[in-house]
Amino acid sequence: MYSSLLSRANFCKPALAALLLSCSYSSLTLAAEQSFSDAYHAYQTALTKGNKYSIERAAKSAFELGKSEYPHDSLNYAALMMNWAKAIADISPRGMLDPQARLQAYQLYKDVQAIYQQHYDKHAPEMALVLMGLATTTDDQYKARSYCQQALEIADDAKDPLHLASIQLQAFFVLAGLHSFSRHDQHLAITAYETRAKLLPANSIDRVEAEFIAANVHLAREEFADAEPMLQDVIAQLSVLPYSHPYSLAAHLSLVKLYQQQGKPELATAHCEAIGKMRPWDENQQPEPLYRIPPRYPKAAAHARRQGSVVLSFTIDKQGYVTQPKVVESKGYQDLNNAAIESLKHWRYAPKFENGKAVSATAKVSLDFKLSKS
């Protein structure tokens, strides 16, 4: 859950981005030739546009040109190296990064760590940023947890609550990808939100980000009474923006799941409609459900080792409910057909909008019934 949230909507803005502010553009280019100046400017421009691949290419170029501009044990050189390492890691979520690219980013962070150790005390806040970079890029789960723990201890000692909250969120996302992810790890996100809620204004994007993440922790725990008002608040805070923010879309989606899980589909309707307005219908592909439950495998079919796929057509009404499900293709097993239809009746979709109004639309889906070989 937590990693997909990270990949679809860029729900966490890592605190490592703070390093980008540690050296101003002017300080980095004081002694630089024009070629490096152009490269670093291109990197800054790429950051504003947000294309991860462009950022990575620009960060690499700035680093390569910076090799001849700064001593290789300087903080400016380390900053360029760290920018590139972060850009490599940001291309794909943790666990999906190409092994060779991950190793490259990890080695860059190790080199930054060696430089920082020459300039900073081992408990300096800057060391926490490097440790989180190492945690993000290592392929060793034990090391990832160790790096996170060290970073959290350093951030806690720094007595800077907002810095600690930022490190807690980063650690939360790293730990969420580990087999040993625990309830204690989940609480990092909740604690980070409580800190930001206390110290930041309600409309701060950093506070809204933390609230969204913490709300989904509560939702995953089925702590609906805690999750619901937080998700509603995320939507309210972002409603003043002149565009649809990804957090807002994701909060609507989480509320659809929350209300469906609570057996209150009527409360999910407004959020299905909101998503339909925010996300245009793609005529070239089948719509994705906002909420789905897998079909129950009929016991008799499982005992008889009956397997197959059931293709159904159905209507998505103006409120996102599934109506008129019909079997259009199957292996002929009626019990599998019935199970597929019964499951589909409980799914929810974003309705199609035409000229600002919700309309009914038809769609298809294929449901598979497969048994393990054992």
Side-chain angles (χ1 to χ4, degrees), residues 4 22-23 36-37 69 80 91 122 138 145 174 178 223 275 278 289 302 316 337:
S4 66
S22 65
C23 296
F36 171 71
S37 174
E69 302 297 336
L80 294 174
I91 289 177
K122 64 180 181 179
T138 182
R145 178 170 290 280
V174 170
L178 306 184
E223 297 167 350
I275 294 172
M278 297 167 70
I316 301 171
N337 296 347

Side-chain angles (χ1 to χ4, degrees), residues 132-271:
M132 287 313 307
L134 291 168
T136 302
T137 54
T138 182
D139 60 357
D140 185 317
Q141 295 207 7
Y142 176 80
K143 285 184 177 180
R145 178 170 290 280
S146 177
Y147 287 137
C148 285
Q149 187 59 44
Q150 292 177 62
L152 287 166
E153 290 173 359
I154 290 172
D156 189 41
D157 289 343
K159 307 303 179 185
D160 181 344
L162 290 177
H163 174 64
L164 174 59
S166 187
I167 296 297
Q168 286 171 331
L169 285 177
Q170 286 186 75
F172 165 78
F173 276 98
V174 170
L175 296 172
L178 306 184
H179 297 312
S180 58
F181 187 55
S182 67
R183 190 176 182 88
H184 178 268
D185 299 332
Q186 293 175 359
H187 203 70
L188 289 170
I190 296 173
T191 303
Y193 165 64
E194 291 172 348
T195 298
R196 288 186 175 181
K198 186 184 301 182
L199 300 177
L200 296 177
N203 61 352
S204 163
I205 195 65
D206 285 342
R207 173 173 168 170
V208 173
E209 169 195 78
E211 185 169 22
F212 172 76
I213 297 167
N216 277 279
V217 170
H218 287 303
L219 180 57
R221 295 176 174 181
E222 297 189 353
E223 297 167 350
F224 301 132
D226 293 312
E228 181 181 5
M230 294 172 72
L231 291 168
Q232 294 283 12
D233 188 55
V234 168
I235 293 170
Q237 294 298 332
L238 296 175
S239 65
V240 299
L241 298 177
Y243 59 92
S244 297
H245 195 284
Y247 291 166
S248 181
L249 179 67
H252 281 297
L253 175 59
S254 293
L255 282 167
V256 170
K257 294 178 179 178
L258 183 152
Y259 290 130
Q260 290 291 147
Q261 287 179 255
Q262 284 188 303
K264 301 176 181 178
E266 70 283 355
L267 295 181
T269 297
H271 302 284

Side-chain angles (χ1 to χ4, degrees), residues 12-20 86 129 163 165-167 170 196:
C12 185
K13 179 180 62 182
L16 290 178
L19 182 69
L20 303 178
K86 179 181 180 298
L129 301 178
H163 174 64
S166 187
I167 296 297
Q170 286 186 75
R196 288 186 175 181

Side-chain angles (χ1 to χ4, degrees), residues 11 20 25-26 35 39 58 68 111 114 195 232 234 249 267 269 296-297 317 334 358 366:
F11 298 138
L20 303 178
Y25 171 66
S26 58
S35 57
S68 60
D111 292 343
T195 298
Q232 294 283 12
V234 168
L249 179 67
L267 295 181
T269 297
R296 291 184 178 180
Y297 217 117
D317 72 10
Q334 190 59 45
S366 177

